[in-house]
Amino acid sequence: MINIIFEKSKTALYQRFLRFIAYKKIRGRVIKNESDYETNTVSFLYKEHKINPIKKIVSSRYIADISKILAEFVIVYLCEAEIHRNNSANKIQTKESDKGVLKGVIQKILYGGINKSSKGWLGIIQKRIREHLSHSHNFTLSAFISFRAYDLREHVASVINEALALLNAEREYEEFISVMQFLVENSKPVIPCVHLYPHKENFELKDSNGNTIPYQKPQSLALQDNKSENSDDVLISTLIAVSPKEIYIHADNSFLTSDVFAIINNIFPERISLCYDDKPIR
């Protein structure tokens, strides 16, 4: 019998563990013992018959099985705790749509794949738990998380924070695009047709008569000197200011794969035509 021990003060950990193992296929019996004393216990009991030469092998396999389940729980629990900590600190409020991304991050922590040199933590934590259970069949989960999984906690915090930061950046980008689309859709075209000629360091904007369209600085740059000026910001600000119905872009593939083109394409959907040799192709 393997006993997983929970202090009464760790009720949330205990309840989360019960929910976790409810979806697991576990050999043998799972026994809950909610006593009036200082601890609650979840016991895993695998039925073994008379002592025989294979008993030791069965026991070691069962320890390995339970160690894997416990290792999975420790990693998932620490990931969920880190996400909750970030939400509580108002760093970012995760949405329902974020669950898929975060689930993928947890899978990479479990099995590796965060980057080329990353390792899966499931095997590492499982080995530590298996070593403990080989010497003692009583396992205090909160103590293990506090003292034997400290390096995992640091790794989880780093990876989850990075994932949440990316989600936050994506959300800010989506909000920016939404606001810019609203401005464009609710503005009368100052110049109905605009031709954009991107260059290596800057760009040209011309109307349908070939006249140069003056640049419009973003408000955030209005009080700054020219050295801090970003040509991409100026381009986007100018296009929004004139709100054209048609934008003809005379550029090669290097511009069409750039971030600034992606932003323009998102702000002005259905208004962009690409030109090669001055002939529109879309």
Side-chain angles (χ1 to χ4, degrees):
M1 181 183 292
I2 296 173
N3 301 309
I4 314 303
I5 300 169
F6 300 85
E7 302 95 324
K8 285 288 188 180
S9 60
K10 305 294 183 181
T11 303
L13 179 65
Y14 173 64
Q15 295 295 336
R16 182 64 185 92
F17 183 71
L18 292 179
R19 293 197 302 273
F20 182 81
I21 63 174
Y23 296 96
K24 294 291 180 182
K25 292 182 179 179
I26 302 172
R27 289 190 299 157
R29 296 172 58 198
V30 178
I31 305 169
K32 293 188 294 181
N33 181 11
E34 299 179 355
S35 68
D36 294 329
Y37 297 99
E38 296 297 322
T39 60
N40 292 323
T41 305
V42 177
S43 299
F44 297 95
L45 177 62
Y46 183 69
K47 185 178 180 181
E48 293 174 339
H49 300 286
K50 297 178 181 179
I51 296 176
N52 58 60
I54 70 165
K55 180 177 177 182
K56 187 176 180 180
I57 297 174
V58 172
S59 296
S60 64
R61 287 178 178 174
Y62 195 58
I63 287 174
D65 291 346
I66 299 304
S67 297
K68 183 178 180 181
I69 291 171
L70 291 171
E72 287 179 354
F73 174 75
V74 168
I75 294 172
V76 170
Y77 177 78
L78 286 175
C79 289
E80 291 176 346
E82 185 62 31
I83 294 168
H84 178 73
R85 188 183 69 80
N86 277 274
N87 283 339
S88 298
N90 291 320
K91 290 185 179 180
I92 180 173
Q93 293 297 316
T94 54
K95 297 180 178 179
E96 190 70 23
S97 57
D98 298 331
K99 286 186 176 180
V101 174
L102 295 174
K103 184 178 180 181
V105 171
I106 294 173
Q107 290 296 308
K108 288 178 179 179
I109 294 174
L110 280 164
Y111 304 110
I114 296 294
N115 52 51
K116 290 182 180 180
S117 62
S118 68
K119 54 189 176 182
W121 280 86
L122 179 61
I124 298 170
I125 300 302
Q126 182 182 358
K127 181 180 178 181
R128 294 177 190 177
I129 296 173
R130 189 169 63 244
E131 289 172 351
H132 176 95
L133 293 179
S134 297
H135 295 91
S136 171
H137 290 173
N138 294 322
F139 184 82
T140 304
L141 190 53
S142 61
F144 179 87
I145 291 173
S146 297
F147 300 110
R148 295 296 312 280
Y150 57 89
D151 49 350
L152 172 61
R153 288 203 315 272
E154 293 176 355
H155 179 75
V156 164
S158 174
V159 172
I160 293 296
N161 285 334
E162 183 178 346
L164 291 176
L166 289 173
L167 283 173
N168 197 35
E170 290 176 5
R171 192 169 298 165
E172 289 177 351
Y173 175 80
E174 291 170 358
E175 290 174 354
F176 166 76
I177 293 298
S178 179
V179 170
M180 294 303 103
Q181 286 178 339
F182 177 82
L183 290 174
V184 168
E185 290 170 2
N186 290 275
S187 299
K188 291 184 179 179
V190 177
I191 301 175
C193 179
V194 167
H195 291 261
L196 168 60
Y197 300 86
H199 302 300
K200 188 174 182 179
E201 300 294 335
N202 52 26
F203 62 91
E204 287 183 280
L205 283 176
K206 295 184 178 181
D207 62 20
S208 56
N209 296 318
N211 299 315
T212 298
I213 300 172
Y215 298 162
Q216 300 285 332
K217 264 192 179 184
Q219 291 184 356
S220 60
L221 298 177
L223 300 178
Q224 301 179 20
D225 56 39
N226 290 332
K227 293 181 181 179
S228 60
E229 190 174 281
N230 183 299
S231 63
D232 292 349
D233 291 339
V234 174
L235 170 57
I236 294 167
S237 180
T238 303
L239 288 174
I240 291 171
V242 300
S243 297
K245 287 293 184 184
E246 296 177 295
I247 301 175
Y248 292 93
I249 298 180
H250 306 258
D252 57 21
N253 287 332
S254 62
F255 179 77
L256 302 180
T257 57
S258 67
D259 291 339
V260 67
F261 173 74
I263 294 173
I264 293 171
N265 198 32
N266 284 327
I267 296 175
F268 298 92
E270 309 300 328
R271 301 190 187 192
I272 293 176
S273 295
L274 307 180
C275 299
Y276 292 108
D277 297 325
D278 293 331
K279 294 179 180 179
I281 63 172
R282 187 180 70 181

